Amino acid sequence: MYNICITGTGYVGLVTGACLADFGNTVKCVDIDEAKIAALKVCKVPFYEPGLQEIVQRNVERGRLSFATDIKWGIESSTVVFVAVGTPMSAEGQADLSYVEMVARSVGENLNGHKVVVLKSTVPAGTCNLVERIIRETSKSDHPFDVVSNPEFLREGSAIEDFRKPARIVIGASTERAFDVMAEIYKPLILEDTPVIQTDVKTAEMIKYASNAFLATKISFINEIANLCEAVGADVTMVARAMGLDDRIGPKFLRAGAGYGGSCFPKDTKALVKTAERAGYDLRIVKAVIAVNETQRHLMVEKVERVLGTVKGKTIAVLGLAFKPDTDDLRDAPAIDMARELLAKGAVVKTYDPVAAEQAHRMLKGASVSADVFDAVKGADVAVFVTEWNEFRDLDLDKVKRLMKSPAIVDCRNIYEPSRMGELGFRYYSVGRAPKEG
Ligand code: NAD
């Protein structure tokens, strides 16, 4: 068991810290965000992630998990330092590495013995080498250290399960000592036959970007096919189902909709294009994936406009705001862009989300927040479903219809069956399928 410091207690850092404490390690989580740490010190998880609260509570009570803003305290008392800080998109579209560099300097300044520095943050190929350089330049000691790339693949909403049952563990390192420490840390997962990819650091860094870019490609691909299905009168859900049954293709990430959002795919695809530019290579497929995705959310607004003639002065219920179900993450969420565009075009926008509504309200000047779906659809000219929360699946649609001013639904996630919606008396428009216009 190790003394571990996790720098950055966001989705990735906190899940990693809590799960590694659950394996029996002593984990110190540090963050520069004082409010986040103050909340965690009283065992309050500052974001929504199913199951995380219990694990945090349990490990704090057992004395294996603690929190602080003092990074020196975390680094000095640990032999393994995970870097899980944000790598947001910079104004030029590349990964902003300033938080990673900040942690590297702190490690250098507080190097008091051999340490393994593990980059969990998603970073472009070459970043581990940069971190190594910064630590060496900042440190006044000659203690040896290793820098390891260990990209994270967890998904918000199922982060605990993903951490405990990953499809693979990727470890990029350059010494046996570093590989051994990482194998020991992940022993509980390796004992369950989780495949481990041991490679060099740049390859490990590329694996993460290539994986995310490929998943984003599947989404943009099926969205283009959906748009074509609409134009020729075919049904994209059947097309995707049949495609997915071919095990060379697989069924996942073939759901047509409003496009991908969130804190990873949009920034990671753009960062990969920038990495390629710097390396003198034109990454054409990923560029097209980004362009298709950026258009898709706008096409959803055009769909609403076609349904209503004009959105000016019309009341529109936007249902589901988080970029996907089971998270309150609103970063680059299609619903936020769509609501903003509708507001700019003069619509009255009412919003509802089971967990992200209050946060969204701060981002959407002029939109109102509803307590539930029924409140949101009351008097609405159209209801637009943007995130497929489970509670939408067994909604009392008769009640929805009674409350609306006119029973029209734009379903950006193909939650409902068109024939049933027609029977219920809705004008129903979805993605890549023929509309039901009554
Ligand atoms: P986040 O924004 O939720 O959390 C990052 C945290 O780092 C913040 O709390 C911030 O205050 C803290 N921080 C910044 N600088 C710091 C410093 N110098 N010292 C200590 N703390 C500092 O980010 P996240 O979603 O957890 O993502 C972290 C990284 O993991 C990113 O590179 C992201 O691309 C990657 N990733 C995210 C996911 C995901 O689903 N969210 C999945 C896989 C990989």
Side-chain angles (χ1 to χ4, degrees), residues 22-58:
D22 226 29
F23 289 172
N25 299 289
T26 302
V27 179
K28 296 188 167 82
C29 290
V30 294
D31 202 293
I32 49 172
D33 185 332
E34 291 183 5
K36 227 175 223 182
I37 293 298
L40 284 163
K41 278 187 167 169
V42 290
C43 279
K44 213 173 160 306
V45 173
F47 49 84
Y48 179 78
E49 182 59 47
L52 184 56
Q53 180 72 44
E54 294 73 24
I55 304 178
V56 167
Q57 183 99 34
R58 178 164 72 232

Side-chain angles (χ1 to χ4, degrees), residues 10 16 20 68 74 78 83 104 132 138 145 166 193 298-299 309 335 347 353 392 423 425 437:
T16 304
L20 291 179
S78 303
V83 183
E132 198 175 324
T138 328
F145 62 90
D193 291 334
H298 172 68
L299 290 182
D353 188 280
F392 297 158
E423 281 161 22
E437 299 192 287

Side-chain angles (χ1 to χ4, degrees), residues 297-318:
R297 50 188 79 179
H298 172 68
L299 290 182
M300 299 298 118
V301 173
E302 280 187 355
K303 208 182 271 276
V304 176
E305 282 183 304
R306 274 200 305 279
V307 170
L308 295 176
T310 172
V311 296
K312 195 161 195 258
K314 300 283 171 61
T315 302
I316 299 171
V318 176

